[in-house]
């Protein structure tokens, strides 16, 4: 993220108002823009150099080119480490990485083996994405990563297999209703396992805490820049309460993201399969399903991720006692929630 770049002058957080939901939606739409994936190493370095020029005072004001550079950097670099996130696990690649897995899980008539196989693939991808985009002030050991992975996969597969075996037993329901329920089976597994995956993968953050920082006013940032000092404040310490809030909000955003994707496309597809066009052209069923999932995924992702700010601000008094009275502007502190 751009905040990790050298320079004493603070970059604007966004060209949109992040205090409002729709401002965060527009900002998140930029971070998740798949076109940023086409920017190579040279393009990333050029974007970083442009932002460094602003942070060091060589460029006086933000321009459309600088905002574009900031979008590239924010969508590529991790805000805590300043290192590029591995491309398949960036949020700008989230939809594309999940597309194949989602289509597989929504395939009717998978059976237990197919459901388990796709749940393993889904949870493996979730583990990688959650780990890559988590707060890095409390790193996970490899043993913790392995433990979290196996717990998440086990819980997800148990739910999916249990629901798969339940639907055929509902013989009192009409065949069409059972078909719809069968296609919605992955939803319960994905929603519950996705949230559980976040808690398990980021459990160490809740046990040890994450770094929190005082919120600086614009005047304080300007004074620091004028004095040639870093405009980013020093950590006040690690807060377990902040970590719990960060993980819970991220888990909820995963549920908000997965719910429409796992429900809307199969229901629309069921209606379309009743039309004469699709009855006469059944070979188009999979492409139509793929298109529905793709459109829904891109529409929903910014809406879900924007439910909570990535850089979350709370009152210092709402955290542990050691942080009371140490808040910055208006008594507020800020921390990286992860995404």
């Amino acid at each position: 993220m751009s905040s990790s770049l050298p320079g004493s002058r603070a970059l604007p957080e966004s060209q949109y108002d992040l205090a409002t939901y729709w401002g965060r939606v527009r900002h998140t739409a930029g971070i998740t823009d798949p076109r940023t994936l086409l920017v190579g190493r040279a393009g990333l370095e050029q974007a970083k150099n442009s932002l460094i020029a602003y942070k060091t005072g060589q460029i006086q004001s933000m321009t459309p080119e600088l905002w574009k550079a900031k979008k590239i950097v924010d969508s590529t670099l991790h805000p805590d480490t300043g290192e590029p996130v591995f491309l398949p696990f960036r949020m700008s690649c989230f939809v594309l990485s999940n597309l194949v897995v989602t289509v597989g899980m929504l395939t009717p008539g998978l059976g237990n083996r197919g459901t388990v196989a796709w749940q393993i693939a889904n949870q493996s991808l979730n583990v990688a994405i959650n780990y890559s985009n988590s707060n890095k002030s409390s790193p996970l050991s490899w043993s913790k990563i392995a433990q979290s992975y196996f717990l998440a996969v086990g819980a997800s597969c148990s739910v999916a297999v249990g629901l798969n075996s339940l639907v055929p037993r509902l013989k009192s329901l009409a065949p069409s209703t059972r078909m719809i329920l069968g296609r919605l089976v992955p939803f319960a597994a994905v929603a519950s396992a996705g949230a559980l995956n976040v808690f398990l993968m980021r459990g160490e953050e809740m046990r040890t805490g994450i770094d929190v920082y005082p919120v600086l006013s614009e005047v304080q940032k300007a004074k620091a820049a004028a004095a040639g000092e870093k405009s980013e404040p020093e950590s006040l310490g690690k807060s377990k309460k902040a970590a719990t809030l960060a993980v819970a909000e991220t888990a909820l955003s995963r549920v908000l993201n997965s719910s429409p994707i796992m429900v809307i496309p199969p229901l629309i597809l069921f209606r379309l399969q009743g039309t004469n066009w699709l009855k006469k052209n059944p070979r188009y069923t999979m492409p139509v399903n793929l298109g529905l999932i793709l459109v829904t995924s891109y529409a929903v992702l910014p809406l879900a991720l924007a439910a909570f700010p990535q850089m979350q601000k709370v009152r210092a008094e709402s955290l542990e006692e050691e942080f009371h009275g140490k808040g910055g502007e208006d008594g507020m502190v800020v921390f990286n929630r992860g995404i």
Side-chain angles (χ1 to χ4, degrees):
M1 188 171 274
S2 51
S3 59
S4 62
L5 298 177
S8 58
R9 187 182 180 193
L11 279 162
E13 282 188 274
S14 175
Q15 59 187 128
Y16 309 110
D17 184 2
L18 298 183
T20 67
Y21 173 66
W22 287 111
R24 293 196 299 273
V25 168
R26 297 177 72 184
H27 175 76
T28 307
I31 294 177
T32 58
D33 187 346
R35 291 175 297 180
T36 60
L37 299 171
L38 302 176
V39 178
R41 182 176 300 179
L44 175 61
E45 289 301 317
Q46 183 179 354
K48 289 167 63 176
N49 290 334
S50 297
L51 296 181
I52 291 172
Y54 177 90
K55 294 188 73 173
T56 54
Q58 299 175 46
I59 299 177
Q60 297 304 313
S61 60
M62 294 296 289
T63 63
E65 290 73 22
L66 278 179
W67 284 120
K68 182 179 179 180
K70 188 175 187 299
K71 182 174 81 169
I72 292 171
V73 170
D74 285 351
S75 66
T76 306
L77 303 186
H78 192 282
D80 293 334
T81 65
E83 297 296 324
V85 176
F86 187 46
L87 190 147
F89 308 144
R90 297 174 193 170
M91 298 314 293
S92 52
C93 198
F94 186 89
V95 171
L96 299 177
S97 296
N98 275 276
L99 186 61
V100 174
V101 176
T102 304
V103 171
M105 288 191 298
L106 286 175
T107 302
L110 277 178
N112 288 349
R113 288 186 179 181
T115 299
V116 169
W118 281 111
Q119 284 299 330
I120 291 174
N122 178 55
Q123 290 308 315
S124 299
L125 180 60
N126 283 345
V127 165
I129 291 174
N130 289 333
Y131 175 75
S132 299
N133 295 280
S134 64
N135 184 294
K136 295 299 184 183
S137 58
S138 297
L140 276 175
S141 65
W142 286 110
S143 62
K144 289 289 185 182
I145 294 174
Q147 179 185 6
S148 300
Y149 169 76
F150 286 113
L151 284 173
V153 170
S156 171
C157 292
S158 298
V159 172
V161 172
L163 289 175
N164 256 345
S165 61
L166 174 64
V167 173
R169 297 175 186 174
L170 302 177
K171 297 181 180 179
S172 60
L173 299 177
S176 59
T177 304
R178 288 203 304 271
M179 183 183 297
I180 293 176
L181 288 176
R183 292 181 178 180
L184 295 180
V185 160
F187 162 66
V190 169
S192 59
L196 181 62
N197 191 297
V198 174
F199 278 103
L200 291 173
M201 284 305 301
R202 298 180 60 183
E204 195 66 18
E205 295 176 31
M206 295 187 287
R207 287 186 286 272
T208 62
I210 59 175
D211 287 328
V212 297
Y213 305 86
V215 174
L216 299 184
S217 66
E218 293 302 321
V219 174
Q220 289 173 310
K221 292 178 182 179
K223 285 183 178 180
E229 301 172 353
K230 287 186 64 176
S231 55
E232 287 80 21
E234 295 295 325
S235 171
L236 296 173
K238 294 185 183 295
S239 168
K240 296 180 182 179
K241 289 186 176 180
T244 301
L245 178 61
V247 174
E249 288 182 347
T250 303
L252 181 54
S253 72
R254 291 290 190 271
V255 175
L256 294 175
N257 181 65
S258 63
S259 300
I261 297 169
M262 303 304 290
V263 173
I264 295 174
L267 292 181
I268 294 177
L269 182 64
F270 177 75
R271 297 298 298 270
L272 290 176
Q273 286 177 321
T275 63
N276 291 329
W277 177 74
L278 210 51
K279 285 180 179 178
K280 294 178 180 178
N281 301 280
R283 65 183 181 278
Y284 294 138
T285 299
M286 183 54 72
V288 169
N289 194 22
L290 183 63
L292 289 171
I293 293 170
L294 186 65
V295 171
T296 305
S297 298
Y298 274 119
V300 166
L301 184 60
L303 300 175
L305 295 183
F308 309 101
Q310 181 177 2
M311 301 305 295
Q312 181 66 278
K313 297 177 183 178
V314 298
R315 296 195 63 80
E317 280 66 28
S318 67
L319 302 180
E320 291 86 347
E321 189 173 350
E322 63 186 276
F323 299 104
H324 293 186
K326 295 183 179 180
E329 186 178 26
D330 298 326
M332 305 292 284
V333 295
V334 64
F335 54 87
N336 174 30
R337 173 180 66 82
I339 194 169

